[in-house]
Amino acid sequence: MGISKDNVTGLILALSSSIFIGSSFIIKKMGLKKAGNTGKSAASGGHAYLYEPWWWIGMISMIVGEIANFAAYAFAPALLVTPLGALSIIFSAVLAHFILQEKLHIFGVLGCALCMVGSTTIVLHAPHERDIHSVKEVWHLATELGFILYTVAVVILVTVLIFYYVPRIGQTHLFIYVAICSLTGSLTVMAVKAVGIALKLTFEGSNQFKYFQTWFFTLVVIGCCLLQINYLNKALDTFNTAVVSPVYYVMFTSLTIFASIIMFKDWDTQNASQIATELCGFVTILSGTFLLHKTKDMGNRPEETPVLTNTIHSDHSSQTL
């Protein structure tokens, strides 16, 4: 990385983004807990958290983090900015440990590390995005057969998860809520890119808001974001924050890269070695996610007291004598 003023600015923005986003998970959960004590919890379909100041502070923190992350890409290369998003997982886990008393088992720490290594590997070896010069060009890419099939598959999966699996196992399986957020998020990012391009070109003097495509992408962003917020709240209100954060990061990052590869056909410019490296990153992510799931409750289990057992055994021996 060149030590330039722009790179330093991008690095500071990316680090700030991780801090704000990592904090938002903890602050929002504090608000969700308080709201659950005074009204119907988000996990039960309630919206009492909308009246809780802590939840709004967490939401503002997340928005500031996302803005900082978006701005970082204007100053530094993606290979510098994107991997730093993994720092939000560490920051969130540390805060959850000290503030929410949600203990993370040593194997959970290892799983978190595997998730970050795998995600970083994918991001660092992901193909470069093509230059987009108009909203119509993005619309052309989004309406090609490959991405249309992906979009249809996402819509079907999200619909099945919401209407069939959420009422049955949503309260006991973290994957359900996070999958809804991640699948929807992959479409959100594609739409955000389109809106971002429209804003950039508009500021440069070429008004893109006269095209219906820009408004369509804007509506997609708003709708998908509202859906993500709703089910992310349910996940945070139901499961351990230290597990929700990395699993959501892993799934969201993986699906977003996958959607980008389909939409922009970046694998056409990559060799077998680069593709194999990305696949290894996916395997690492799956391993870390599995480890996190298996150890998510181990950190909160009460420690055994073998001394008491020995005392009882000694008393029994004395009575025998």
Side-chain angles (χ1 to χ4, degrees), residues 8 19 39 41 62 77 88 90 93 124 133 141 144 161 179 187-188 191 197 205 224 232-233 266 272 308 314:
V8 172
I19 292 173
S41 66
M62 176 172 283
S88 64
I90 299 175
L124 289 177
H133 303 287
L141 294 171
E144 290 188 352
L161 287 171
L187 298 182
T188 304
I197 291 170
C224 289
L232 183 58
N233 283 333
D266 294 313
L308 179 61
S314 300

Side-chain angles (χ1 to χ4, degrees), residues 12-84:
I12 293 172
L13 286 169
L15 290 174
S16 300
S17 171
S18 295
I19 292 173
F20 278 112
I21 293 175
S23 301
S24 71
F25 283 102
I26 308 304
I27 299 173
K28 285 171 68 179
K29 183 149 189 178
M30 290 170 60
L32 289 169
K33 282 188 171 182
K34 288 189 175 183
N37 293 332
T38 58
K40 193 174 182 181
S41 66
S44 302
H47 296 88
Y49 59 86
L50 294 175
Y51 302 97
E52 178 54 51
W54 280 109
W55 185 86
W56 284 108
I57 294 173
M59 179 57 62
I60 292 172
S61 178
M62 176 172 283
I63 293 172
V64 171
E66 294 295 347
I67 292 174
N69 187 59
F70 179 81
Y73 283 100
F75 293 94
L79 295 181
L80 167 66
V81 177
T82 309
L84 293 179

Side-chain angles (χ1 to χ4, degrees), residues 83-127:
L84 293 179
L87 296 178
S88 64
I89 297 174
I90 299 175
F91 198 76
S92 178
V94 171
L95 287 180
H97 178 85
F98 290 105
I99 296 177
L100 300 179
Q101 302 301 315
E102 295 181 354
K103 306 301 181 182
L104 191 62
H105 192 269
I106 184 63
F107 289 118
V109 175
L110 177 59
C112 187
L114 286 172
C115 288
M116 289 189 293
V117 169
S119 297
T120 303
T121 300
I122 291 176
V123 171
L124 289 177
H125 293 86

Side-chain angles (χ1 to χ4, degrees), residues 31-259:
L32 289 169
K33 282 188 171 182
K34 288 189 175 183
N37 293 332
T38 58
K40 193 174 182 181
S41 66
S44 302
H47 296 88
Y49 59 86
L50 294 175
Y51 302 97
E52 178 54 51
W54 280 109
W55 185 86
W56 284 108
I57 294 173
M59 179 57 62
I60 292 172
S61 178
M62 176 172 283
I63 293 172
V64 171
E66 294 295 347
I67 292 174
N69 187 59
F70 179 81
Y73 283 100
F75 293 94
L79 295 181
L80 167 66
V81 177
T82 309
L84 293 179
L87 296 178
S88 64
I89 297 174
I90 299 175
F91 198 76
S92 178
V94 171
L95 287 180
H97 178 85
F98 290 105
I99 296 177
L100 300 179
Q101 302 301 315
E102 295 181 354
K103 306 301 181 182
L104 191 62
H105 192 269
I106 184 63
F107 289 118
V109 175
L110 177 59
C112 187
L114 286 172
C115 288
M116 289 189 293
V117 169
S119 297
T120 303
T121 300
I122 291 176
V123 171
L124 289 177
H125 293 86
H128 294 288
E129 298 177 2
R130 67 171 71 186
D131 292 328
I132 304 296
H133 303 287
S134 71
V135 171
K136 288 187 175 181
E137 186 177 345
V138 180
W139 180 262
H140 174 72
L141 294 171
T143 54
E144 290 188 352
L145 180 61
F147 192 71
I148 288 178
L149 291 176
Y150 175 79
T151 302
V152 171
V154 168
V155 172
I156 292 174
L157 284 172
V158 170
T159 302
V160 171
L161 287 171
I162 291 175
F163 292 103
Y164 183 81
Y165 287 102
V166 167
R168 291 169 173 80
I169 59 174
Q171 295 283 325
T172 56
H173 291 73
L174 170 65
F175 174 81
I176 304 301
Y177 290 147
V178 176
I180 293 172
C181 295
S182 302
L183 286 165
T184 307
S186 67
L187 298 182
T188 304
V189 172
M190 300 301 106
V192 165
K193 288 182 181 180
V195 176
I197 291 170
L199 288 170
K200 179 182 177 182
L201 294 175
T202 299
F203 289 143
E204 291 176 352
S206 177
N207 184 16
Q208 299 293 304
F209 286 87
K210 62 184 179 181
Y211 302 119
F212 83 91
Q213 291 93 336
T214 302
W215 294 105
F216 176 83
F217 285 125
T218 302
L219 291 175
V220 171
V221 170
I222 295 173
C224 289
C225 284
L226 290 175
L227 186 65
Q228 285 178 258
I229 291 171
N230 183 41
Y231 284 96
L232 183 58
N233 283 333
K234 292 178 183 292
L236 289 172
D237 199 30
T238 308
F239 302 100
N240 191 314
T241 306
V243 180
V244 172
S245 299
V247 173
Y248 174 62
Y249 170 81
V250 167
M251 291 187 66
F252 172 76
T253 302
S254 302
L255 288 169
T256 298
I257 292 175
F258 185 62

